[in-house]
Amino acid sequence: MIALIWAMDENRLIGKDNMLPWHYPKDLQYFKEHTFNQSVLMGDLTYQSLKTYYKTKPLPFKKSYVANINDATYPDAIHVKDLFDFLKTTKEDIYVIGGRTIYQLTLPYADRLYITYILGTHEGNVYFPPFDLSEFKWIEKRLEEKLIFSVYERKQP
Ligand SMILES: NC(=O)c1ccc[n+]([C@@H]2O[C@H](COP(=O)([O-])OP(=O)(O)OC[C@H]3O[C@@H](n4cnc5c(N)ncnc54)[C@H](OP(=O)(O)O)[C@@H]3O)[C@@H](O)[C@H]2O)c1
């Protein structure tokens, strides 16, 4: 199972200078509930961004995979150089946790989407690419203040 999890505002904004453009504790809690002790996949830039929060503490995942076209080694993560081979062959449940590039490349492989819609607009410079939800069905929706926690599953053929 490959799941993407992200938060975006009404303009599809997801990032600001390699950080989140906002601070919504409820969304951070939701992210933690779904990814704690799971195997996650992220792009190199998202990994660098996370490491600013987890400077001294270990990353809170079972396994962290980091996609990077260049040769790289990570002290606490596994380098994924061939992203598509990884997506096609992995037998693990994987949560894709960003950023824009990696969401865009992995969306065709996603079985499930966890999207937090944030009402309103914010300042930033990284946007989720335009995408089509017609191949997914909405299975869960919960509104909490400015946040709509939504879950989609890919329709079976
Ligand atoms: N709102 C949210 O839920 C959320 C969540 C996570 C991140 N974000 C935001 O997203 C932004 C970062 O997104 P980003 O797109 O700039 O970076 P990113 O997706 O985190 O990382 C991009 C990396 O992917 C690598 N890559 C590209 N194609 C690849 C392939 N085919 N195989 C393997 N690796 C490949 C690139 O490697 P090379 O460097 O070698 O080209 C690059 O290092 C930040 O602003 C962050 O705050 C938001």
Side-chain angles (χ1 to χ4, degrees), residues 10-23:
E10 288 180 19
N11 289 334
R12 271 186 284 106
L13 182 75
I14 62 167
K16 182 182 182 188
D17 303 332
N18 212 27
M19 307 292 272
L20 291 175
W22 45 67
H23 181 70

Side-chain angles (χ1 to χ4, degrees), residues 1-4 87 90 92-96 106 109-112:
M1 191 275 303
I2 294 181
L4 271 59
L87 293 167
T90 185
E92 290 177 79
D93 288 341
I94 298 287
Y95 286 79
V96 179
T106 55
Y109 298 84
D111 304 299
R112 195 176 296 169

Side-chain angles (χ1 to χ4, degrees), residues 5-8 13-22 27 31 42-47 49 66-70 74 80-84 97-103 105 125-126:
I5 181 165
W6 79 91
M8 65 181 181
L13 182 75
I14 62 167
K16 182 182 182 188
D17 303 332
N18 212 27
M19 307 292 272
L20 291 175
W22 45 67
D27 185 52
F31 176 81
M42 69 195 106
D44 182 72
L45 294 174
T46 295
Y47 171 79
S49 169
V66 179
N68 188 340
I69 292 168
N70 298 308
Y74 300 98
V80 172
K81 196 175 170 82
D82 190 335
L83 181 64
F84 300 111
I97 61 167
R100 180 193 201 278
T101 312
I102 298 307
Y103 287 136
L105 296 172
N125 51 9
V126 182

